[in-house]
């Protein structure tokens, strides 16, 4: 792109940064940059301001790894939530998804990823030591391993289960099976097998 | 989303702005926001800085509508470029694409969109009055109508041709046909028809 004399370096830089965002290539980054320039006051400046403000104000909760403006996030400090259950998730997006359902009123623990030998991610790179520390608290009775149903997610759940199993706590995981609204014809064999094996009496 | 107590308002705002970008929905906006927070110093702050700098420094060239740091862009002020040809494009992205090919060394004119009765875009909403003014210059011998080969692009080209035809200049348009590397089997009938009608002796 450096040979393209028609493009100024500020704009080239912006496109470079935009193309580093997940799911965006060079072409979509160009489109975004032009869209921003076309909507300078309504979108471009407010977006930059919003990125700055978020970068400044939002930090990781030292207890669970959720993002919040406070040291201890509003979930961890919520007295109305059940302290005896910790739901372990991979990412903050998973925490949001669980909390959106409104069914779960316990606490969370965000790992910040999954174990991966290929990417060189070990237990010390994730928020696992803090989880082990939290689960030693007498108040905690149950740990729900709600990592994704992927190979990496299951491996990570397996590892954590191994570390926690001698503490004498209830360790559970989310049920696997047919998603509500799911049509059998569109589901993969792994899901169908799991659902068949875990079938229940009506 | 306002009911989601797990998400702070700064973060909610950032996601709102990100989801206004073309091609991004609420889910991808969340993913982007979390990716930014994970890469605060390497991506989040530089991106905000880059958006600010671009918004401040980049303006529309008063002559052709290209984006540049100067009032008159580096293409319009380039003495080595041919002043006798103006290539009319819809958007700055099209200008970049044409210039990347390196074949064309004339000037450009960026319309900033296409005529659209449905979206209420008339000639005065586009950079058309300035084009009419530029083409009256004696130096200009040829105007290439390089709008997209879409209904809107062709309508816009037709309108401009109508306005310019009495000036006694050469008005041309890009050739339509099989793209280089294109396989007939994958091309639509419109392209094949056009290519057949415009066939040439070998």
């Amino acid at each position: 792109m450096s040979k393209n004399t028609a493009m100024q370096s500020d704009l080239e830089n912006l496109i470079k940064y935009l193309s580093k965002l997940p799911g965006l290539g060079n072409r979509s980054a160009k489109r975004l940059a032009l869209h921003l320039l076309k909507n300078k006051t309504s979108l471009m400046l407010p977006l930059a301001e919003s990125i700055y403000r978020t970068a400044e104000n939002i930090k990781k909760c030292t207890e669970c790894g959720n993002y919040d403006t406070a040291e201890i996030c509003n979930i961890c400090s919520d007295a109305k939530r059940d302290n005896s259950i910790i739901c372990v998730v991979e990412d903050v997006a998973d925490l949001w998804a669980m909390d959106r359902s409104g069914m779960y009123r316990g606490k969370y623990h965000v790992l910040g990823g999954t174990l991966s030998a290929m990417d060189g991610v070990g237990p010390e790179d994730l928020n696992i030591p803090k989880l082990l520390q939290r689960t030693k608290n007498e108040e905690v009775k149950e740990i729900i391993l709600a990592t994704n149903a992927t190979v990496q997610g299951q491996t990570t759940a397996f590892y954590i289960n191994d570390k926690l199993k001698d503490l004498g706590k209830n360790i559970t995981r989310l049920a696997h099976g047919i998603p509500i609204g799911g049509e059998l014809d569109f589901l993969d064999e792994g899901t169908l097998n799991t659902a068949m094996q875990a079938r229940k009496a009506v």
Side-chain angles (χ1 to χ4, degrees), chain A:
Chain A
M1 211 151 62
S2 56
K3 276 185 188 167
N4 196 333
T5 54
M7 208 187 293
Q8 282 303 308
S9 64
D10 284 337
L11 197 46
E12 229 173 281
N13 257 326
L14 174 58
I15 293 168
K16 193 188 75 190
Y17 284 121
L18 287 172
S19 66
K20 282 185 186 170
L21 296 174
L24 295 183
N26 190 262
R27 185 175 290 265
S28 11
K30 276 183 194 164
R31 201 158 50 106
L32 288 196
L34 291 175
H35 183 82
L36 286 175
L37 279 167
K38 266 193 187 169
N39 302 278
K40 220 177 246 189
T41 48
S42 66
L43 185 56
M44 193 169 191
L45 293 172
L47 173 63
E49 170 68 22
S50 172
I51 295 176
Y52 262 133
R53 207 174 29 231
T54 307
E56 207 166 283
N57 294 343
I58 301 284
K59 35 188 165 278
K60 267 191 188 171
C61 168
T62 52
E63 190 70 7
C64 75
N66 184 18
Y67 285 120
D68 204 296
T69 45
E71 282 279 304
I72 302 291
C73 79
N74 65 344
I75 294 184
C76 285
S77 57
D78 185 346
K80 277 180 279 179
R81 278 179 172 263
D82 191 346
N83 269 324
S84 70
I85 317 183
I86 296 177
C87 177
V88 180
V89 292
E90 287 178 23
D91 256 310
V92 175
D94 302 325
L95 184 158
W96 290 342
M98 287 295 290
D99 226 56
R100 214 169 30 228
S101 77
M103 281 294 294
Y104 178 70
R105 302 304 291 168
K107 300 296 168 93
Y108 288 98
H109 193 83
V110 181
L111 295 175
T114 51
L115 296 174
S116 167
M118 252 176 71
D119 299 329
V121 181
E124 66 290 344
D125 300 312
L126 300 177
N127 200 5
I128 291 182
K130 179 73 190 176
L131 173 64
L132 303 183
Q133 186 194 319
R134 285 180 77 191
T135 49
K136 280 180 187 131
N137 188 323
E138 268 190 11
E139 236 186 323
V140 176
K141 307 294 182 208
E142 181 178 353
I143 298 115
I144 306 173
L145 300 178
T147 52
N148 289 332
T150 56
V151 173
Q152 293 95 328
Q154 298 302 307
T155 309
T156 309
F158 187 82
Y159 175 88
I160 294 172
N161 179 46
D162 199 57
K163 288 284 170 191
L164 298 180
K165 65 176 184 230
D166 298 331
L167 289 178
K169 313 271 182 178
N170 265 334
I171 305 179
T172 56
R173 56 169 207 156
L174 299 179
H176 293 158
I178 315 288
I180 305 302
E183 297 180 46
L184 296 196
D185 195 19
F186 289 93
L187 289 169
D188 62 301
E189 284 146 39
T191 303
L192 292 174
N193 274 337
T194 308
M196 181 58 84
Q197 276 162 26
R199 67 189 182 278
K200 293 179 180 181
V202 182

